[in-house]
Amino acid sequence: MNHEIFERDRQDILIIDCIPDNLQILSSFLTEKGYKVRQACNWSMVLTACQTVLPDLILLDIMLPEVDGYEICQRLKNWNLTADIPVIFLSSLDNVFDKVKAFQVGGVDYITKPFHFEEVLVRVENQLALKVARLKILQLNLDLEKKVKERTCQLEKALYKLQQEWNQRQQLQSKLLEIALHDSLTGLPNRVLFLKRLEQALKRIKLKPDYHFAVLFLDCDRFKLVNDSFGHLVGDELLVAIARRLEASLSPFDTLARFGGDEFTILLENIKDIRMATAVAENILQKLSLPFRLSRHEVFINASIGINWGNPNYEKPEYLLRDADIAMYRAKKAFGKARYHVFDPKMHQEVTELLELENDLRKAVERQEFVVYYQPIISLATGTIAGFEALVRWRHPVRGLVAPTSFISIAEETGLITPINTWVLKSACQILYILQNHPAIKDSVTMSVNISPRLFSQPDLIATIDEVIDDTKINPASLELEITESVLMENDENIKTILHELQKRKIKLVMDDFGTGYSSLSYLHSLPLNSLKIDKSFVKYMQKNKQIMGLVPAMIGIAHSMGMSVSAEGVETQQQLMQLKSLNCDFAQGYLFSPAVQQELVLDLLAEGTRW
Ligand code: C2E
Ligand code: MG
Ligand code: MG
């Protein structure tokens, strides 16, 4: 790059001409104008001059001996060093062709001899100014290029940084995704990921009929007990240990997920038939039955497993799981704990019906669709009605009168039993009040009301009963509450307290369905019970089965020895009645005497005064 041109104060002009006069005159004129002027009259002098110092401009005559002006110009243009030096032709040739040729060989201007000095000066100045401008542009270009390079470099760096940030973000994102799809405690896939995998399996089975899979829904039995007795930390430790055992029971192709709480789900893929799935379930149950040695405790846990065989008719993975869950509940209920059960579409129907029933039951409570029927209880000593048992029925808008056996257990599960039972108690007490105050009824009549086990966990049971007594103004001495063995067997201090509170109010307590539970006699003795009611199953088989035949008198004997009276329910035949009488049973109830009747008929039954 030719920087000198900006630094040199005097610009250097080389005049090439072979006529000394011309040279002299032009030279002195330009020198006078402030230029440094050198002269040459042939090619070899031009070479020497250029090699010494490169001129800023060349004034070149055409008519030269040996090498003419055109040729010199061409040589200068072909030579790297001199190619950029502007050449102005000076010639007496005024022909257009000469001028054209001069421009063709690289000349930038053409001055015709004889010339005017002023013209020469202007053209020289122009070309020099042009050259400076060109160099400046070149310099600017170079600067620009440099700047572009620097900027490119900066941009590349920024881009690199951006790329790195993006990579980090990408890593973070996949980490977040990983967290979102896994359970933090066990590290297993969670519900979301499991459902995704299940959805894929469902899609695959729709495309490939020879592909099979099964879903297992596992729920730990009584896990709450572990949490309650050892604390949540131990519970967590146990869950992790269970997860590891489950993993060890599966192949790497299966998906094991923690579905939530103590529930785990498994997707078994590439299996041939249901037996492979049940074999896995058996293996799991066997592995889980071994004790878990945790850091501070040894814990035993069982699980129930529901199995559902994947089939392409399912629309959503959730439905597949729902049915595995239904099967799991069946495993829990029907077979006791630590079992598996395979889903059968019939179960779905049952569950739907149950759900409908539950819904209807909710509405029934709101709309008060219940009625109480009353079944007489006969004193075997007098043969007359000693009291009534209040038995609830549901007046279903479509199904008609529904027996309590069809809805009491659901009412208990859903908690709806509390309002229902309280209402029954109140209704029965209203009838009792009428009986207690009726002028035609001389002997006192009792009223028995069944009390659900659920009510005993209600903190305000006693308050509710007090309120009913207050509201209906009955004499509580004629009120009998029937309690099943299961309540009493809880062996809870709280229940004992409640029973004693009831006793204080002179309310009688009857153990219902006696013989169907597992009462310990010594425990029974410690409770303030007034009466035992022998379950109808014993009455039914009393005459047919010798073993049972032996039990009934034993039950009556036990009750009497503990100072309790005995009643028998389900008495349907005269024979049964005779037998119970001969065994000194105190009371009896059954279709032989009367089924449960509507409240309007209670007074009629009493008025009839039948003696059995
Ligand atoms: P439970 O307390 O043992 O009532 C006796 C059941 O035996 C009644 O059935 C009654 O109608 C029936 N029964 C009476 N005589 C005979 C007979 O000669 N043969 C046969 N096979 N059965 C007879 P129900 O009314 O269907 O009640 C069934 C169970 O529902 C009751 O058994 C009781 O546990 C429960 N329950 C009924 N009403 C209420 C209530 O208001 N509250 C609560 N918690 N449970 C109730
Ligand atoms: Mg009863
Ligand atoms: Mg009973």
Side-chain angles (χ1 to χ4, degrees), residues 462-500:
I462 292 293
T464 309
I465 291 173
D466 281 344
E467 205 183 301
V468 172
I469 295 172
D470 272 4
D471 288 354
T472 55
K473 300 186 181 63
I474 54 151
N475 172 4
S478 302
L479 179 63
E480 297 190 348
L481 299 183
E482 296 193 3
I483 307 159
T484 56
E485 277 182 295
S486 62
V487 174
L488 303 176
M489 287 309 108
E490 293 272 303
N491 204 353
D492 191 326
E493 275 311 305
N494 185 37
I495 286 167
K496 268 193 190 168
T497 315
I498 294 175
L499 296 184
H500 281 109

Side-chain angles (χ1 to χ4, degrees), residues 373-520:
Y373 275 46
Y374 297 90
Q375 185 174 35
I377 298 170
I378 313 304
S379 156
L380 296 187
T382 63
T384 57
I385 296 175
F388 289 89
E389 180 177 4
L391 294 160
V392 70
R393 270 99 185 89
W394 174 11
R395 223 179 241 142
H396 192 283
V398 180
R399 292 202 227 167
L401 211 60
V402 182
T405 37
S406 311
F407 65 88
I408 290 285
S409 60
I410 302 164
E412 279 177 338
E413 268 174 40
T414 52
L416 289 166
I417 189 68
T418 308
I420 297 173
N421 214 152
T422 309
W423 179 82
V424 172
L425 178 67
K426 206 166 181 173
S427 308
C429 286
Q430 280 163 352
I431 299 295
L432 178 60
Y433 178 80
I434 295 172
L435 300 181
Q436 281 178 341
N437 293 283
H438 201 286
I441 301 169
K442 306 251 159 30
D443 306 322
S444 77
V445 177
T446 59
M447 179 61 77
S448 299
V449 179
N450 294 283
I451 299 293
S452 155
R454 250 319 265 255
L455 266 73
F456 282 84
S457 49
Q458 221 70 29
D460 57 354
L461 177 64
I462 292 293
T464 309
I465 291 173
D466 281 344
E467 205 183 301
V468 172
I469 295 172
D470 272 4
D471 288 354
T472 55
K473 300 186 181 63
I474 54 151
N475 172 4
S478 302
L479 179 63
E480 297 190 348
L481 299 183
E482 296 193 3
I483 307 159
T484 56
E485 277 182 295
S486 62
V487 174
L488 303 176
M489 287 309 108
E490 293 272 303
N491 204 353
D492 191 326
E493 275 311 305
N494 185 37
I495 286 167
K496 268 193 190 168
T497 315
I498 294 175
L499 296 184
H500 281 109
E501 281 299 313
L502 295 172
Q503 191 189 33
K504 271 193 219 161
R505 287 158 180 75
K506 300 205 162 51
I507 297 172
K508 307 286 175 313
L509 298 169
V510 179
M511 179 184 274
D512 202 353
D513 307 332
F514 183 62
T516 55
Y518 305 93
S519 314
S520 119

